Amino acid sequence: LIQAVRDAQARDRVALLKSAGIAVDCLQSEGLALHNAIVFDLLSDGDTGDFAEAVAVVDVGMEATNVVISSPRCVWFRTFTQGGGSFTRELVKQLKLTHDQAEQLQHEPAKARRYSQLEAAMQPLLVQLAGEIERSLASYSRVYSDHPVRQIYGLEVLVIPTNVPQQ
């Protein structure tokens, strides 16, 4: 497996962690980190010898979405540049909200004054996201038809604001 990263991106991430007092021993891509979590946490039933089915994880981050498909014997992943921030920006633009208001509305859509406007603003992005996920699964299936996806998990990101004291 060969992976590449832009030097500036790696340096930025290491600097961020060091500024938080976290020592960095190595870097690992999000796709491989998710693969390791899948294999060692979800698939670790002790018998990985003839495991032919795969598990998919869809991780919608702030600026990108990762689709990682893993089995103990293979890994496939794809990243595309649509994430939660795309939805936030669209709500700010279409509904004339602040960034914080748009974020809150995504977490609590029932509090929308006009739910139909919220739905109309988000629907095209949801369709686009679903299409990208479907294309990812189809691409994987063309390459690894002998390792069908048996389950798909969605991940939620927990964002801790920097101005909140840690306990």
Side-chain angles (χ1 to χ4, degrees), residues 81-113:
T81 58
Q82 181 183 18
S86 304
F87 291 90
T88 302
R89 286 187 293 278
E90 193 64 23
L91 291 177
V92 166
K93 180 178 150 186
Q94 286 200 26
L95 302 182
K96 311 282 190 260
L97 301 172
T98 66
H99 182 273
D100 290 340
Q101 289 170 330
E103 283 286 323
Q104 183 176 4
L105 206 50
Q106 287 181 77
H107 295 286
E108 300 176 279
K111 291 188 175 182
R113 289 185 186 157

Side-chain angles (χ1 to χ4, degrees), residues 48-54 71-74 140 144-149:
T48 59
D50 294 325
F51 193 87
E53 293 179 326
S71 77
R73 297 195 181 266
C74 75
Y140 167 83
Y144 294 105
S145 60
D146 56 335
H147 295 282
V149 173

